Tab-separated table of all heavy atoms in Angstrom:
chain	number	residue	atom	x	y	z
A	33	GLU	N	103.785	124.348	32.142
A	33	GLU	CA	105.013	124.530	31.411
A	33	GLU	C	106.223	124.526	32.439
A	33	GLU	O	106.189	125.331	33.349
A	33	GLU	CB	105.003	125.893	30.700
A	33	GLU	CG	106.163	126.112	29.831
A	33	GLU	CD	106.236	125.424	28.547
A	33	GLU	OE1	105.132	124.979	28.097
A	33	GLU	OE2	107.376	125.221	28.017
A	34	PRO	N	107.240	123.739	32.210
A	34	PRO	CA	108.340	123.758	33.070
A	34	PRO	C	109.025	125.064	33.034
A	34	PRO	O	109.217	125.695	32.036
A	34	PRO	CB	109.275	122.662	32.453
A	34	PRO	CG	108.448	121.802	31.658
A	34	PRO	CD	107.291	122.658	31.147
A	35	ARG	N	109.536	125.497	34.205
A	35	ARG	CA	110.192	126.750	34.277
A	35	ARG	C	111.693	126.622	33.961
A	35	ARG	O	112.163	125.416	33.840
A	35	ARG	CB	110.102	127.394	35.735
A	35	ARG	CG	108.583	127.727	36.071
A	35	ARG	CD	108.537	128.196	37.374
A	35	ARG	NE	107.173	128.533	37.737
A	35	ARG	CZ	106.612	129.687	37.906
A	35	ARG	NH1	107.374	130.730	37.939
A	35	ARG	NH2	105.431	129.866	38.191
A	36	VAL	N	112.401	127.612	33.742
A	36	VAL	CA	113.769	127.538	33.394
A	36	VAL	C	114.573	126.710	34.459
A	36	VAL	O	115.466	126.008	34.142
A	36	VAL	CB	114.426	128.939	33.154
A	36	VAL	CG1	115.909	128.873	33.019
A	36	VAL	CG2	113.726	129.662	32.111
A	37	ALA	N	114.183	126.906	35.769
A	37	ALA	CA	114.850	126.140	36.774
A	37	ALA	C	114.787	124.689	36.585
A	37	ALA	O	115.617	123.924	36.958
A	37	ALA	CB	114.269	126.534	38.239
A	38	CYS	N	113.723	124.217	35.959
A	38	CYS	CA	113.569	122.801	35.657
A	38	CYS	C	114.635	122.255	34.742
A	38	CYS	O	114.967	121.197	34.793
A	38	CYS	CB	112.157	122.547	35.185
A	38	CYS	SG	111.759	120.788	35.016
A	39	LEU	N	115.133	123.174	33.856
A	39	LEU	CA	116.201	122.749	32.966
A	39	LEU	C	117.486	122.394	33.652
A	39	LEU	O	118.193	121.537	33.236
A	39	LEU	CB	116.504	123.913	31.890
A	39	LEU	CG	115.506	124.265	30.963
A	39	LEU	CD1	115.858	125.502	30.189
A	39	LEU	CD2	115.326	123.066	30.019
A	40	ARG	N	117.579	122.886	34.874
A	40	ARG	CA	118.774	122.611	35.663
A	40	ARG	C	118.662	121.262	36.536
A	40	ARG	O	119.593	120.850	37.074
A	40	ARG	CB	119.139	123.757	36.609
A	40	ARG	CG	119.461	125.012	35.798
A	40	ARG	CD	119.933	126.098	36.795
A	40	ARG	NE	120.084	127.332	36.008
A	40	ARG	CZ	119.349	128.386	36.135
A	40	ARG	NH1	118.356	128.315	37.022
A	40	ARG	NH2	119.526	129.473	35.391
A	41	ARG	N	117.506	120.789	36.523
A	41	ARG	CA	117.243	119.549	37.423
A	41	ARG	C	118.063	118.370	36.678
A	41	ARG	O	118.266	118.295	35.530
A	41	ARG	CB	115.816	119.139	37.429
A	41	ARG	CG	115.012	120.159	38.247
A	41	ARG	CD	113.498	119.820	38.187
A	41	ARG	NE	113.153	118.400	38.634
A	41	ARG	CZ	112.024	117.944	38.597
A	41	ARG	NH1	111.008	118.644	38.020
A	41	ARG	NH2	111.723	116.742	38.958
A	42	ASP	N	118.477	117.507	37.479
A	42	ASP	CA	119.284	116.334	37.159
A	42	ASP	C	118.359	115.455	36.279
A	42	ASP	O	117.224	115.337	36.586
A	42	ASP	CB	119.661	115.664	38.412
A	42	ASP	CG	120.935	114.880	38.264
A	42	ASP	OD1	121.702	115.088	37.401
A	42	ASP	OD2	121.071	113.966	39.151
A	43	ARG	N	118.893	114.963	35.211
A	43	ARG	CA	118.013	114.206	34.266
A	43	ARG	C	117.691	112.872	34.967
A	43	ARG	O	116.592	112.409	34.678
A	43	ARG	CB	118.827	113.932	32.933
A	43	ARG	CG	120.010	112.919	33.089
A	43	ARG	CD	120.496	112.672	31.695
A	43	ARG	NE	121.699	111.852	31.918
A	43	ARG	CZ	122.705	111.999	31.151
A	43	ARG	NH1	122.840	112.802	30.191
A	43	ARG	NH2	123.794	111.137	31.384
A	44	GLU	N	118.473	112.426	35.846
A	44	GLU	CA	117.997	111.185	36.642
A	44	GLU	C	116.836	111.458	37.442
A	44	GLU	O	115.990	110.598	37.615
A	44	GLU	CB	119.189	110.665	37.528
A	44	GLU	CG	120.333	110.053	36.794
A	44	GLU	CD	121.319	110.991	36.132
A	44	GLU	OE1	121.335	112.215	36.624
A	44	GLU	OE2	122.150	110.582	35.259
A	45	GLU	N	116.752	112.673	38.024
A	45	GLU	CA	115.546	113.024	38.834
A	45	GLU	C	114.343	113.075	37.909
A	45	GLU	O	113.228	112.615	38.245
A	45	GLU	CB	115.748	114.371	39.477
A	45	GLU	CG	114.710	114.782	40.436
A	45	GLU	CD	114.988	116.130	41.128
A	45	GLU	OE1	116.185	116.502	41.151
A	45	GLU	OE2	113.983	116.769	41.512
A	46	LEU	N	114.466	113.628	36.764
A	46	LEU	CA	113.307	113.752	35.799
A	46	LEU	C	112.845	112.432	35.406
A	46	LEU	O	111.566	112.130	35.336
A	46	LEU	CB	113.663	114.625	34.575
A	46	LEU	CG	113.903	116.102	34.765
A	46	LEU	CD1	114.500	116.698	33.600
A	46	LEU	CD2	112.530	116.757	35.103
A	47	ILE	N	113.720	111.570	34.919
A	47	ILE	CA	113.464	110.233	34.536
A	47	ILE	C	112.827	109.370	35.693
A	47	ILE	O	111.897	108.669	35.482
A	47	ILE	CB	114.679	109.522	33.999
A	47	ILE	CG1	115.171	110.314	32.665
A	47	ILE	CG2	114.322	108.009	33.571
A	47	ILE	CD1	114.184	110.440	31.607
A	48	GLY	N	113.491	109.588	36.863
A	48	GLY	CA	112.945	108.922	38.101
A	48	GLY	C	111.510	109.187	38.383
A	48	GLY	O	110.647	108.344	38.702
A	49	GLU	N	111.152	110.452	38.196
A	49	GLU	CA	109.795	111.002	38.535
A	49	GLU	C	108.876	110.202	37.588
A	49	GLU	O	107.759	109.839	37.830
A	49	GLU	CB	109.673	112.452	38.280
A	49	GLU	CG	108.378	113.068	38.603
A	49	GLU	CD	108.369	114.563	38.471
A	49	GLU	OE1	109.307	115.257	39.031
A	49	GLU	OE2	107.495	115.071	37.813
A	50	LEU	N	109.205	110.223	36.145
A	50	LEU	CA	108.413	109.583	35.163
A	50	LEU	C	108.234	108.136	35.476
A	50	LEU	O	107.125	107.666	35.413
A	50	LEU	CB	108.972	109.899	33.766
A	50	LEU	CG	108.228	109.132	32.682
A	50	LEU	CD1	106.821	109.544	32.574
A	50	LEU	CD2	109.001	109.400	31.310
A	51	GLN	N	109.315	107.508	35.848
A	51	GLN	CA	109.198	106.054	36.129
A	51	GLN	C	108.392	105.796	37.302
A	51	GLN	O	107.549	104.799	37.324
A	51	GLN	CB	110.653	105.419	36.395
A	51	GLN	CG	111.525	105.318	35.240
A	51	GLN	CD	112.940	104.902	35.409
A	51	GLN	OE1	113.458	105.228	36.430
A	51	GLN	NE2	113.468	104.036	34.553
A	52	LYS	N	108.353	106.545	38.346
A	52	LYS	CA	107.638	106.408	39.545
A	52	LYS	C	106.114	106.551	39.198
A	52	LYS	O	105.314	105.795	39.552
A	52	LYS	CB	108.086	107.440	40.574
A	52	LYS	CG	107.227	107.353	41.922
A	52	LYS	CD	107.721	108.323	42.896
A	52	LYS	CE	106.815	109.563	42.481
A	52	LYS	NZ	106.907	110.723	43.400
A	53	ASN	N	105.873	107.640	38.499
A	53	ASN	CA	104.494	107.935	38.035
A	53	ASN	C	103.908	106.799	37.126
A	53	ASN	O	102.740	106.402	37.327
A	53	ASN	CB	104.402	109.259	37.360
A	53	ASN	CG	104.515	110.397	38.339
A	53	ASN	OD1	104.300	110.301	39.508
A	53	ASN	ND2	104.879	111.563	37.803
A	54	ALA	N	104.808	106.317	36.235
A	54	ALA	CA	104.282	105.262	35.322
A	54	ALA	C	104.030	103.918	36.099
A	54	ALA	O	103.029	103.209	35.854
A	54	ALA	CB	105.261	105.061	34.207
A	55	ALA	N	104.974	103.602	36.992
A	55	ALA	CA	104.769	102.357	37.725
A	55	ALA	C	103.535	102.533	38.625
A	55	ALA	O	102.734	101.536	38.684
A	55	ALA	CB	105.958	102.194	38.688
A	56	ASN	N	103.284	103.646	39.255
A	56	ASN	CA	102.080	103.846	40.024
A	56	ASN	C	100.807	103.819	39.109
A	56	ASN	O	99.738	103.163	39.500
A	56	ASN	CB	102.048	105.225	40.720
A	56	ASN	CG	100.962	105.428	41.648
A	56	ASN	OD1	100.648	104.518	42.470
A	56	ASN	ND2	100.293	106.526	41.540
A	57	ALA	N	100.876	104.307	37.844
A	57	ALA	CA	99.710	104.240	37.001
A	57	ALA	C	99.397	102.673	36.722
A	57	ALA	O	98.264	102.420	36.670
A	57	ALA	CB	99.973	105.072	35.779
A	58	VAL	N	100.429	101.969	36.353
A	58	VAL	CA	100.189	100.591	36.038
A	58	VAL	C	99.638	99.816	37.226
A	58	VAL	O	98.708	99.055	37.047
A	58	VAL	CB	101.525	99.937	35.475
A	58	VAL	CG1	101.436	98.466	35.485
A	58	VAL	CG2	102.082	100.523	34.210
A	59	LEU	N	100.132	100.142	38.447
A	59	LEU	CA	99.660	99.437	39.618
A	59	LEU	C	98.131	99.840	39.793
A	59	LEU	O	97.277	98.993	40.129
A	59	LEU	CB	100.423	99.815	40.818
A	59	LEU	CG	99.976	99.216	42.091
A	59	LEU	CD1	100.072	97.744	42.152
A	59	LEU	CD2	100.890	99.761	43.332
A	60	CYS	N	97.835	101.101	39.628
A	60	CYS	CA	96.374	101.542	39.947
A	60	CYS	C	95.529	100.946	38.798
A	60	CYS	O	94.398	100.609	39.128
A	60	CYS	CB	96.386	103.118	39.846
A	60	CYS	SG	96.994	103.957	41.266
A	61	ALA	N	95.950	100.798	37.556
A	61	ALA	CA	95.167	100.170	36.509
A	61	ALA	C	94.901	98.720	36.825
A	61	ALA	O	93.805	98.202	36.597
A	61	ALA	CB	95.916	100.390	35.199
A	62	ILE	N	95.872	98.038	37.313
A	62	ILE	CA	95.831	96.621	37.625
A	62	ILE	C	94.731	96.499	38.779
A	62	ILE	O	93.842	95.635	38.676
A	62	ILE	CB	97.078	95.994	38.041
A	62	ILE	CG1	98.080	95.924	36.856
A	62	ILE	CG2	96.984	94.587	38.745
A	62	ILE	CD1	99.495	95.521	37.140
A	63	VAL	N	94.842	97.340	39.766
A	63	VAL	CA	93.987	97.278	40.932
A	63	VAL	C	92.480	97.663	40.364
A	63	VAL	O	91.461	96.935	40.782
A	63	VAL	CB	94.309	98.269	42.002
A	63	VAL	CG1	93.244	98.405	43.032
A	63	VAL	CG2	95.635	97.900	42.690
A	64	PHE	N	92.359	98.513	39.436
A	64	PHE	CA	91.070	98.886	38.871
A	64	PHE	C	90.489	97.742	38.183
A	64	PHE	O	89.326	97.395	38.320
A	64	PHE	CB	91.184	100.174	38.003
A	64	PHE	CG	89.901	100.315	37.241
A	64	PHE	CD1	88.687	100.838	37.931
A	64	PHE	CD2	89.846	100.021	35.840
A	64	PHE	CE1	87.469	101.009	37.159
A	64	PHE	CE2	88.653	100.274	35.219
A	64	PHE	CZ	87.559	100.764	35.815
A	65	PHE	N	91.268	97.078	37.298
A	65	PHE	CA	90.777	95.972	36.490
A	65	PHE	C	90.406	94.755	37.386
A	65	PHE	O	89.490	94.055	37.111
A	65	PHE	CB	91.812	95.476	35.430
A	65	PHE	CG	91.926	96.579	34.372
A	65	PHE	CD1	93.211	96.987	33.951
A	65	PHE	CD2	90.866	97.178	33.637
A	65	PHE	CE1	93.430	97.907	32.914
A	65	PHE	CE2	90.990	98.037	32.715
A	65	PHE	CZ	92.315	98.371	32.269
A	66	ASP	N	91.122	94.547	38.509
A	66	ASP	CA	90.785	93.438	39.434
A	66	ASP	C	89.625	93.796	40.193
A	66	ASP	O	88.738	92.893	40.474
A	66	ASP	CB	91.951	93.193	40.362
A	66	ASP	CG	93.151	92.536	39.761
A	66	ASP	OD1	92.897	92.012	38.597
A	66	ASP	OD2	94.213	92.502	40.306
A	67	LYS	N	89.393	95.033	40.694
A	67	LYS	CA	88.288	95.517	41.499
A	67	LYS	C	87.755	96.766	40.978
A	67	LYS	O	87.984	97.853	41.620
A	67	LYS	CB	88.680	95.557	42.955
A	67	LYS	CG	89.179	94.307	43.600
A	67	LYS	CD	89.614	94.408	44.967
A	67	LYS	CE	90.148	93.107	45.474
A	67	LYS	NZ	90.716	93.251	46.863
A	68	PRO	N	86.976	96.755	39.887
A	68	PRO	CA	86.415	98.042	39.390
A	68	PRO	C	85.537	98.659	40.436
A	68	PRO	O	84.717	97.993	41.129
A	68	PRO	CB	85.565	97.618	38.227
A	68	PRO	CG	86.073	96.232	37.858
A	68	PRO	CD	86.568	95.605	39.141
Side-chain angles (χ1 to χ4, degrees):
E33 180 77 20
R35 296 178 183 246
V36 176
C38 189
L39 290 174
R40 295 187 188 109
R41 287 175 62 187
D42 209 19
R43 70 176 176 216
E44 288 82 15
E45 185 180 338
L46 289 170
I47 299 301
E49 181 180 315
L50 176 59
Q51 287 176 326
K52 182 184 84 172
N53 288 338
N56 185 48
V58 170
L59 179 62
C60 287
I62 290 169
V63 171
F64 170 73
F65 290 131
D66 287 344
K67 297 179 184 176

